[in-house]
Amino acid sequence: MKLGWSHTVLNIKDKEKILDFYVDTLGFKISDSGPVFENGPEIIFISYDPNEHHQLAFVLGREDLNSSTALNHISFRVESYAELKQIKDKFDAIDHEYMPLCHGNALSFYFNDPENNGMEIFFDTPWDVEQPQGEPWDPELDEKEALDWVEKTFKNKPGFILRDESTKEFVNR
Ligand SMILES: [Fe+2]
């Protein structure tokens, strides 16, 4: 099993200042933005890499700039569904809590490390879809059942497309 680095999500307070810095100064492109869930806080995704929907994302709602509460989560990719199952088995064996959440483009587990740092491990689905999206999924499903469920659940969402066909246009959506 191998975990590949994917992205970090930070909680932020001042969207304008943050985007001035990361987009205007550092040159990241905004790949998507929207409420994390209905009536939830806004999330803004940025990336340099067309193969990575977001290298960084920001969730609005950070209150205190003096405390170290900026980390929302760090995220790793596994290359196979079997590896996601291995994670599940390890967590089940030690009774470590995790939340299975599907973004349409990824099947994820969200969880905390032993010091409550937020983490995500995910497996890419074959599809892209506008973000943010999130539906709980059943990690007991096998790979085919899980992907069938993803397709059925997200195919009518905006921007749903097989990743190969998507021509990597997300950076200027
Ligand atoms: Fe994430």
Side-chain angles (χ1 to χ4, degrees):
M1 188 178 84
K2 187 179 149 209
L3 300 181
W5 178 257
S6 172
H7 63 266
T8 301
V9 179
L10 298 174
N11 299 319
I12 61 159
K13 185 173 180 175
D14 190 326
K15 174 178 162 180
E16 208 173 311
K17 270 191 196 161
I18 286 285
L19 293 184
D20 275 357
F21 182 75
Y22 281 92
V23 176
D24 296 346
T25 304
L26 294 181
F28 283 92
K29 298 259 194 306
I30 296 175
S31 44
D32 262 323
S33 67
V36 173
F37 46 84
E38 217 182 319
N39 300 318
E42 185 181 10
I43 184 166
I44 304 125
F45 304 97
I46 64 172
S47 188
Y48 255 108
D49 181 356
N51 294 311
E52 199 72 76
H53 174 271
H54 49 288
Q55 295 174 309
L56 271 173
F58 306 110
V59 179
L60 277 162
R62 182 178 181 189
E63 303 259 308
D64 180 4
L65 293 183
N66 293 316
S67 71
S68 57
T69 56
L71 182 68
N72 184 291
H73 66 272
I74 58 177
S75 177
F76 295 89
R77 170 186 285 109
V78 290
E79 295 294 334
S80 67
Y81 189 78
E83 288 168 295
L84 205 55
K85 284 287 207 187
Q86 284 175 30
I87 301 279
K88 172 187 158 21
D89 291 345
K90 283 173 194 275
F91 285 176
D92 287 348
I94 61 167
D95 232 351
H96 196 78
E97 235 176 82
Y98 60 94
M99 180 179 66
L101 194 69
C102 178
H103 301 300
N105 59 3
L107 288 158
S108 300
F109 293 153
Y110 284 89
F111 53 96
N112 288 338
D113 78 5
E115 297 200 349
N116 272 340
N117 297 301
M119 295 185 70
E120 173 189 20
I121 292 178
F122 71 90
F123 168 64
D124 280 323
T125 72
W127 301 284
D128 276 326
V129 59
E130 274 180 31
Q131 297 297 318
Q133 302 275 351
E135 294 289 338
W137 66 283
D138 178 2
E140 301 295 336
L141 299 177
D142 67 28
E143 181 169 2
K144 186 184 178 310
E145 291 168 336
L147 292 179
D148 285 350
W149 173 86
V150 174
E151 186 170 20
K152 193 179 76 198
T153 306
F154 291 91
K155 69 178 177 205
N156 294 321
K157 303 278 188 186
F160 184 85
I161 190 168
L162 253 185
R163 190 165 289 118
D164 294 349
E165 300 164 11
S166 68
T167 62
K168 318 290 187 193
E169 274 174 2
F170 73 86
V171 285
N172 279 318
R173 193 174 273 149

